[in-house]
Amino acid sequence: IDTVTDTAILAAGNLFEVWDMVWSSGSLADSVVAKDAAGVVKWRAKGDIANARVADHFVQPIKFNGLKVDTLDLGVLYVYVKRLQSA
């Protein structure tokens, strides 16, 4: 994901589990926020050095119902998904 949007990238009813989030940022002032379609924050990160790279692996996956990324100051967010289901 490299572009923010106020509308959901995946609408509610698209159920999936996220095992990894990887974000590469250009600056320490940058941040990213991933939410479900209802706007509930599921994951966030903030750059802490120039050219930051945040890689989070979840032993227990994060469950999403839809996806929205309305904050992505700079960089690219990679979302590693398992078990995508449409309602």
Side-chain angles (χ1 to χ4, degrees):
I1 300 167
D2 62 1
T3 305
V4 298
T5 178
D6 286 331
T7 58
I9 296 167
L10 288 173
N14 289 290
L15 309 173
F16 59 96
E17 297 175 337
V18 172
W19 292 89
D20 293 281
M21 294 276 213
V22 178
W23 172 55
S24 45
S25 163
S27 162
L28 60 90
D30 294 336
S31 58
V32 60
V33 179
K35 303 176 181 178
D36 66 11
V40 176
V41 173
K42 297 290 189 164
W43 182 83
R44 69 175 62 214
K46 183 163 180 59
D48 59 357
I49 60 171
N51 299 314
R53 181 177 185 273
V54 176
D56 286 338
H57 172 74
F58 310 106
V59 175
Q60 294 295 322
I62 300 174
K63 297 177 190 275
F64 277 77
N65 182 359
L67 174 65
K68 178 195 260 188
V69 177
D70 60 3
T71 302
L72 177 63
D73 293 329
L74 193 62
V76 177
L77 175 63
Y78 298 92
V79 181
Y80 294 88
V81 173
K82 187 173 184 180
R83 291 185 245 195
L84 176 63
Q85 300 172 335
S86 295

